Amino acid sequence: GIAARAVDVWKVYGTGEAQLAALRTVNVEFERGRFTAIMGPSGSGKSTLMHCLAGLDTTSRGEVYIGETRVTGLGDKGLTELRRDKVGFIFQQFNLLPTLTAQENILLPLSIAGRKPDRDWFDTVVDTVGLRDRLGHRPTQLSGGQQQRVACARALVSRPEVVFADEPTGNLDSRSGQEVLGFLRDSVRQFGQTIVMVTHDPNAASYADRVVFLADGAIVDELHDPTADAVL
Ligand code: ADP
Ligand code: ADP
């Protein structure tokens, strides 16, 4: 099946003389259980594409789907439900709540949704990211790599259709980055998680099954089973 899809998507910012097309006729599908990296120069539209796919931003033309859900045209209520139930996010800056413990941060999306965690699944995710003995720690008591692993667990715990990761290793040293990327890849292999990751880093992209290259708002190339050398 297809976990996410963009069909003839345009995104235009501004009006009149100041108009700028950040995305121009983007067509792309993300198969379930696959790990895709989106690469391209700064300003090529990577963040815009991710935001449109995730329902964080609207498209100017075209349609976006997450699973069977047509995101385009959803109202505020539908978008809130989509972000809560169907997508997970991992950010460059971790975005953990400082007053909450690792466990509370991981469970926050479920708490907000009023859903009960599946205990076995929670344990599986926590063990996979190696946080068993850090669950009571607050973010300031954790290294950057550990904080990002908390954020990964938070993104996965609700079993979303797609996890979107925006430069997830941008704030990490290379060793912590490799750990986080290894975990993301394992979650694809072991749990069939679908991941879409924006990155500048060819080494990070080499963890993906596929790399989609954007330039000037359009998809210009695609690479399967990338190696870091091939991405460069
Ligand atoms: P990337 O993530 O590849 O760096 P972005 O998606 O952030 O690219 O931006 C694509 C283009 O759209 C850039 O020219 C950027 O300046 C422009 N852009 C992004 N967001 C906005 C916005 N909210 N308003 C106006 N222009 C924007
Ligand atoms: P990145 O490309 O690394 O995602 P940017 O610095 O391009 O980060 O953009 C950061 C934020 O500013 C994004 O939310 C983007 O939508 C917004 N943005 C980018 N370019 C513009 C712009 N020209 N006008 C208004 N907002 C913009």
Side-chain angles (χ1 to χ4, degrees):
I2 303 299
R5 185 153 64 107
V7 184
D8 290 332
V9 165
W10 280 76
K11 179 66 182 182
V12 180
Y13 289 113
T15 53
E17 296 279 293
Q19 230 175 47
L20 181 140
L23 298 175
R24 5 178 140 229
T25 331
V26 170
N27 284 286
V28 62
E29 290 186 342
F30 301 92
E31 246 180 87
R32 285 211 174 99
R34 302 283 239 115
F35 186 178
T36 304
I38 299 177
M39 295 192 80
S42 189
S44 58
K46 303 182 296 295
S47 303
T48 302
L49 176 58
M50 178 176 279
H51 290 171
C52 286
L53 284 166
L56 298 174
D57 204 348
T58 58
T59 61
S60 305
R61 246 193 276 165
E63 297 179 338
V64 168
Y65 294 84
I66 295 288
E68 308 303 313
T69 305
R70 184 175 180 269
V71 178
T72 314
L74 284 179
D76 286 346
K77 184 160 172 284
L79 286 172
T80 301
E81 284 170 6
L82 179 93
R83 290 192 288 257
R84 196 186 65 197
D85 301 333
K86 299 270 169 71
V87 295
F89 295 99
I90 301 168
F91 305 95
Q92 186 172 347
Q93 310 284 353
F94 320 139
N95 290 19
L96 302 176
L97 288 186
T99 59
L100 301 184
T101 64
Q103 170 156 336
E104 289 164 345
N105 268 288
I106 294 168
L107 292 174
L108 189 63
L110 291 175
S111 314
I112 289 172
R115 282 163 61 193
K116 275 198 124 150
D118 175 337
R119 191 75 224 179
D120 289 343
W121 176 241
F122 174 81
D123 286 341
T124 301
V125 170
V126 165
D127 288 336
T128 309
V129 292
L131 289 168
R132 175 60 54 198
D133 57 350
R134 293 286 184 280
L135 286 175
H137 290 53
R138 286 177 216 289
T140 52
Q141 301 171 300
L142 299 171
S143 70
Q146 289 168 341
Q147 290 184 59
Q148 194 61 309
R149 285 187 276 140
V150 171
C152 289
R154 177 183 59 186
L156 264 98
V157 77
S158 60
R159 291 182 174 274
E161 182 81 69
V162 189
V163 168
F164 292 99
D166 197 349
E167 299 280 5
T169 58
N171 268 328
L172 301 178
D173 60 68
S174 76
R175 188 204 161 94
S176 304
Q178 311 273 352
E179 281 172 10
V180 164
L181 291 161
F183 165 71
L184 293 178
R185 186 169 59 191
D186 289 349
S187 74
V188 173
R189 298 282 175 274
Q190 291 173 28
F191 314 138
Q193 180 63 56
T194 308
I195 298 182
V196 178
M197 169 177 73
V198 165
T199 185
H200 281 100
D201 178 5
N203 186 53
S206 72
Y207 281 76
D209 304 310
R210 174 170 76 138
V211 186
V212 169
F213 294 91
L214 273 179
D216 205 14
I219 292 175
V220 291
D221 203 359
E222 196 175 314
L223 194 61
H224 292 266
D225 301 317
T227 64
D229 286 348
V231 175
L232 282 169

